[in-house]
């Protein structure tokens, strides 16, 4: 590629990122609803469980890091667990049952009615994510989907959903990161005592 072609390619990517970011304004009520429900459950002693595959696994771990560590403010650590990091558990379930069950079985074991379970899936069709949220609902926990316009079925099956208005995996992942930062901002303010729970 010529230097001009590379420049155009990168400009196109940035322009598309900006378009999808602007379109995410329509999802702000859903983002706030997830934050409000998470705050309510944390205040009642609940735990956040989260998971995903590949880049979505990294998003799940990122969200947990923001809650147990901190986002911007000094405050108490908040209870959150990423179900993607224990290689012994994941490989045991995948080997003895099926890879499709790696999150559902953990959710069945851990999630309680006061908890929230968040599944990240750019496609919205990943069997591991779908089964995990179904297990959350069966246990009475709040199920939350971070997905895209490709994942309408997953969004419809969840109690709450943040649906990125895009189909390109990279743009979806970028908006999932934005949404989890927005949620972290609201939770952070509440946990630090600077904002009341809504």
């Amino acid at each position: 590629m010529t230097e001009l072609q590379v420049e155009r390619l990168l400009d196109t990517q940035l322009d598309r990122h900006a378009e999808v970011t602007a379109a995410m304004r329509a999802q702000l009520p859903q983002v706030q609803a997830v934050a409000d429900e998470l705050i309510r459950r944390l205040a009642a002693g609940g735990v956040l469980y989260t998971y995903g595959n590949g880049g979505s696994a990294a998003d799940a771990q990122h969200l947990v890091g923001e809650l147990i560590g901190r986002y911007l403010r000094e405050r108490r650590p908040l209870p959150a667990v990423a179900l993607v990091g224990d290689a012994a558990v994941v490989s045991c379930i995948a080997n003895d049952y099926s890879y499709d069950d790696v999150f559902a079985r953990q959710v069945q074991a851990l999630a309680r009615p006061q908890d929230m379970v968040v599944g990240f899936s750019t496609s919205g069709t990943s069997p591991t994510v779908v089964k995990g949220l179904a297990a959350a609902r069966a246990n009475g926990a709040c199920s939350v989907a971070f997905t895209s316009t490709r994942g309408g079925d997953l969004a419809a099956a969840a109690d709450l959903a943040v649906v990125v208005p895009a189909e390109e995996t990279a743009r979806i992942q970028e908006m999932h990161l934005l949404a989890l930062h927005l949620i972290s901002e609201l939770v952070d303010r509440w946990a630090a005592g600077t904002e009341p729970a809504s």
Side-chain angles (χ1 to χ4, degrees):
M1 294 178 74
T2 67
E3 187 173 333
L4 180 58
Q5 288 173 320
V6 170
E7 185 178 328
R8 285 179 178 164
L9 172 65
L10 297 179
D11 279 344
T12 299
Q13 296 292 305
L14 284 174
D15 288 346
R16 180 60 180 147
H17 173 87
E19 289 172 10
V20 179
T21 301
M24 278 296 288
R25 288 189 182 278
Q27 284 295 301
L28 290 180
Q30 287 73 26
V31 169
Q32 183 173 353
V34 172
D36 288 347
E37 186 63 20
L38 179 55
I39 289 167
R40 188 179 76 76
R41 288 171 182 272
L42 291 171
V47 177
L48 172 76
Y49 296 99
T50 186
Y51 61 84
N53 297 292
S56 293
D59 287 338
Q61 290 179 310
H62 188 145
L63 179 55
V64 168
E66 302 291 17
L67 296 176
I68 292 179
R70 67 174 180 207
Y71 182 61
L72 293 175
R73 297 160 187 83
E74 283 299 330
R75 40 91 174 154
R76 72 186 185 282
L78 300 169
V81 179
L83 302 178
V84 300
D86 191 326
V89 170
V90 170
S91 62
C92 168
I93 297 168
N95 185 64
D96 293 351
Y97 297 92
S98 163
Y99 187 78
D100 290 352
D101 296 319
V102 294
F103 303 130
R105 193 154 179 89
Q106 293 182 77
V107 170
Q108 288 168 352
L110 299 170
R112 298 294 175 258
Q114 69 269 26
D115 299 331
M116 176 179 281
V117 178
V118 176
F120 288 86
S121 176
T122 58
S123 69
T125 60
S126 173
T128 58
V129 178
V130 172
K131 291 182 82 168
L133 290 189
R137 282 190 133 180
N139 278 21
C142 178
S143 62
V144 178
F146 274 62
T147 188
S148 68
T149 50
R150 297 186 307 188
D153 291 344
L154 179 65
D159 296 317
L160 298 168
V162 175
V163 181
V164 176
E167 296 193 355
E168 313 99 289
T169 298
R171 302 295 83 82
I172 298 164
Q173 289 174 333
E174 290 159 9
M175 295 307 111
H176 283 176
L177 179 59
L178 174 61
L180 74 83
H181 278 163
L182 294 173
I183 290 166
S184 297
E185 171 69 28
L186 296 175
V187 173
D188 212 45
R189 285 174 175 267
W190 162 75
T194 56
E195 296 289 339
S198 58

